[in-house]
């Protein structure tokens, strides 16, 4: 079968990773088409809670080809991230098709590209595919016994916007990642009558910035160092910069900071949690084990009866239906490779945004975008659609 010159590279997902990849490809003269299931770019950022800011610096969070404006400040707000992504797409004249959800990716019948099954029965053939559907794709709620019959107010953290609806209420936040920690602080500062934070495993807590030195800078410096060395360096730093909260239910973790990162547990950046816990405005309690008789049963056997339960229990990548049949995911549903590398059995299939690096998500997305574009350009055959001029 002859090659066609009308096969673009399809980028699945219009978040920061997808937009960066599309620009990097365009900069190399390759036509990239972004397929976004929502009605605009940066959909996941639009859904985040109001007070959210990047925990990485503005300068190290810009995507390729467009700095973030200085007026955004050092720690960029959620709304400014959305504005930046909109401007990024406009500035680089990216080709974006909204309202199109890709449900399955498979090899094209002629074996020279990829076939995408999408909304409305669409069948799209691309020379290569970049999957950028995001780390925070589908809300994950543990299968707690009794959860389905719990009569109280229950929501996943993806539905939380601000503390206003919870003023005067007793709220239990489940999960002490960055999202859970920040929502708990937001509730305490926003007038909730009582805020409890259910913790299964005590996290590493780091200051977002110490004497002007952002935690991200350290993350960048240690990114390639041996795990044991970083663990050893982090221990004395933690003792100096973060007070011992053991008496308040948050002991220092027994495992090393970077060891936990390699397992997928990013440190909690302190944006008020330490102070809120020390002052008793956020009470640390045991993990949730079950829901029973209208109460929440905790791992230590105690029971609580909050007005509202907010599950800050993370997300799943939900890649199984999309690419699970291709043998490109590990046992936890993560891509076996990312960035410029493609799976051995799936050449031309790339993944970006499915890790949670200590050096900053936006920074790594920018790096991956350039590497992916370089790889696609170096392997591009006559079937790859080129931009005019």
């Amino acid at each position: 079968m002859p090659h066609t010159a009308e096969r673009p590279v399809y980028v699945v997902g219009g978040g920061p990773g997808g937009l960066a990849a599309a620009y990097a490809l365009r900069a190399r003269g390759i036509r990239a088409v972004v397929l976004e299931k929502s009605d605009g770019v940066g959909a996941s950022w639009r859904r985040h809670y109001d007070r959210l800011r990047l925990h990485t610096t503005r300068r190290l969070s810009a995507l390729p080809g467009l700095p973030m404006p200085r007026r955004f400040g050092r720690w960029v707000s959620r709304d400014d991230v959305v504005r930046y992504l909109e401007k990024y797409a406009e500035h680089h004249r990216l080709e974006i098709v909204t309202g199109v959800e890709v449900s399955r990716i498979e090899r094209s019948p002629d074996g020279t590209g990829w076939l995408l099954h999408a909304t409305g029965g669409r069948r799209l053939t691309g020379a290569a595919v970049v999957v950028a559907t995001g780390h925070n794709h589908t809300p994950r709620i543990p299968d707690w016994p009794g959860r389905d019959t719990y009569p109280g107010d229950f929501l996943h953290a993806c539905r939380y916007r601000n503390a206003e609806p919870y003023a005067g209420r007793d709220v239990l936040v489940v999960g002490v990642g960055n999202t859970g920690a920040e929502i708990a602080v937001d509730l305490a500062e926003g007038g909730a009558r009582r805020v409890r934070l259910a913790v299964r495993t005590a996290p590493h807590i780091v200051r977002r910035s110490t004497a002007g030195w952002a935690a991200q800078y350290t993350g960048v410096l240690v990114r390639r160092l041996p795990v044991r060395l970083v663990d050893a360096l982090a221990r004395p730093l933690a003792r100096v910069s973060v007070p011992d909260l053991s008496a308040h239910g948050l002991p220092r973790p027994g495992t090393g900071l970077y060891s936990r990162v390699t397992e997928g547990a990013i440190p909690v950046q302190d944006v008020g949690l330490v102070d809120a816990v020390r002052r008793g405005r956020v009470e640390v309690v045991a993990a949730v084990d079950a829901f029973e008789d209208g109460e929440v049963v905790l791992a230590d056997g105690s029971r609580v009866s909050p007005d509202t339960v907010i599950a800050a229990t993370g997300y799943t990548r939900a890649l199984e239906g999309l690419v699970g049949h291709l043998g490109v995911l590990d046992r936890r549903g993560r891509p076996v490779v990312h960035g410029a590398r493609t799976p051995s059995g799936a050449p031309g299939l790339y993944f970006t945004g499915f890790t949670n690096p200590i050096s900053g998500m936006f920074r790594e997305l920018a790096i991956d975008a350039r590497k992916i574009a370089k790889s696609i350009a170096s392997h591009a055959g006559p079937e790859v659609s080129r931009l005019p001029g």
Side-chain angles (χ1 to χ4, degrees):
M1 182 178 291
H3 290 299
T4 175
E6 298 300 324
R7 288 185 178 178
V9 174
Y10 282 108
V11 179
V12 185
L19 298 182
Y23 162 71
L25 286 162
R26 184 178 178 87
R28 288 182 174 270
I30 296 174
R31 184 185 172 209
V33 179
V34 178
L35 303 176
E36 168 54 46
K37 69 177 182 179
S38 72
D39 59 1
V41 300
S44 65
W45 274 91
R46 297 174 192 274
R47 294 192 298 266
H48 285 311
Y49 48 93
D50 295 348
R51 74 175 279 157
L52 178 64
R53 291 181 176 271
L54 282 176
H55 290 166
T56 53
T57 66
R58 170 180 52 82
R59 288 188 176 183
L60 293 187
S61 300
L63 302 179
L66 186 67
M68 286 189 172
R70 292 187 64 182
R71 68 178 182 276
F72 285 179
R74 194 182 196 196
W75 312 107
V76 183
S77 71
R78 179 205 64 184
D79 289 347
D80 282 338
V81 169
V82 172
R83 292 186 185 98
Y84 173 72
L85 295 178
E86 291 174 338
K87 181 64 177 179
Y88 190 87
E90 177 188 357
H91 178 79
H92 292 307
R93 299 179 181 178
L94 301 181
E95 189 173 350
I96 301 171
V97 183
T98 58
V100 174
E101 182 174 7
V102 178
S103 57
R104 184 178 173 89
I105 299 172
E106 58 189 33
R107 295 294 292 178
S108 60
D110 63 7
T112 64
W114 292 93
L115 178 65
L116 289 74
H117 298 264
T119 305
R122 294 178 177 88
R123 293 166 61 88
L124 309 169
T125 304
V129 176
V130 181
V131 180
T133 49
H135 197 272
N136 295 345
H137 186 274
T138 301
R140 184 182 72 87
I141 298 177
D143 188 20
W144 287 304
R147 160 69 189 91
D148 292 341
T149 60
Y150 180 64
D153 184 21
F154 183 98
L155 65 150
H156 187 272
C158 67
R159 291 171 49 205
Y160 178 87
R161 291 296 173 269
N162 56 60
E164 185 177 352
Y166 310 99
R169 296 175 68 83
D170 182 337
V171 185
L172 173 67
V173 180
V174 185
V176 71
N178 278 294
T179 296
E182 193 155 356
I183 287 177
V185 172
D186 195 44
L187 287 163
E189 294 177 351
R193 176 170 56 85
R194 186 175 188 178
V195 180
R196 282 174 284 205
L197 182 60
V199 176
R200 186 170 299 279
T201 304
H204 284 276
I205 301 174
V206 299
R207 299 290 190 188
R208 186 170 64 177
S209 178
T210 303
W213 179 266
Q216 183 188 12
Y217 298 161
T218 303
V220 171
L221 292 175
V222 306
R223 183 85 162 92
R224 305 297 178 187
L225 293 179
V227 172
R228 287 186 178 181
L229 176 59
V230 179
D231 284 349
L233 294 172
R235 289 188 192 101
L237 180 61
R239 293 191 187 97
V240 171
S241 61
V242 179
D244 186 0
L245 300 175
S246 298
H248 302 279
L250 280 180
R252 297 191 190 278
T255 53
L257 184 148
Y258 207 16
S259 294
R260 293 277 292 275
V261 170
T262 61
E263 297 169 358
I266 292 297
V268 170
Q269 294 213 10
D270 180 34
V271 290
L273 179 66
V274 170
D275 185 62
V277 169
R278 293 177 78 183
R279 292 173 178 267
R281 300 177 70 185
V282 171
E283 304 168 47
V284 178
V285 298
V288 171
D289 263 6
F291 292 79
E292 187 177 285
D293 298 330
E295 297 178 313
V296 183
V297 183
L298 303 181
D300 60 3
S302 63
R303 293 169 175 252
V304 295
S305 302
D307 299 316
T308 301
V309 177
I310 299 176
T313 46
Y315 297 80
T316 60
R317 299 163 187 83
L319 291 171
E320 287 78 7
L322 190 66
V323 296
H325 55 285
L326 298 172
V328 298
L329 305 178
D330 66 16
R331 59 184 178 80
R332 295 171 62 183
R334 302 175 303 182
V336 294
V337 297
H338 70 277
R341 299 170 58 199
T342 62
S344 57
L349 182 64
Y350 297 84
F351 296 89
T352 184
F354 296 99
T355 60
N356 202 357
I358 195 173
S359 50
M361 177 67 82
F362 274 53
R363 177 181 182 273
E364 296 301 322
L365 290 174
I367 293 171
D368 276 355
R370 295 188 180 96
K371 290 180 177 179
I372 289 170
K374 181 179 179 180
S375 177
I376 291 176
S378 65
H379 293 94
E383 74 277 5
V384 177
S385 181
R386 302 280 182 173
L387 295 171

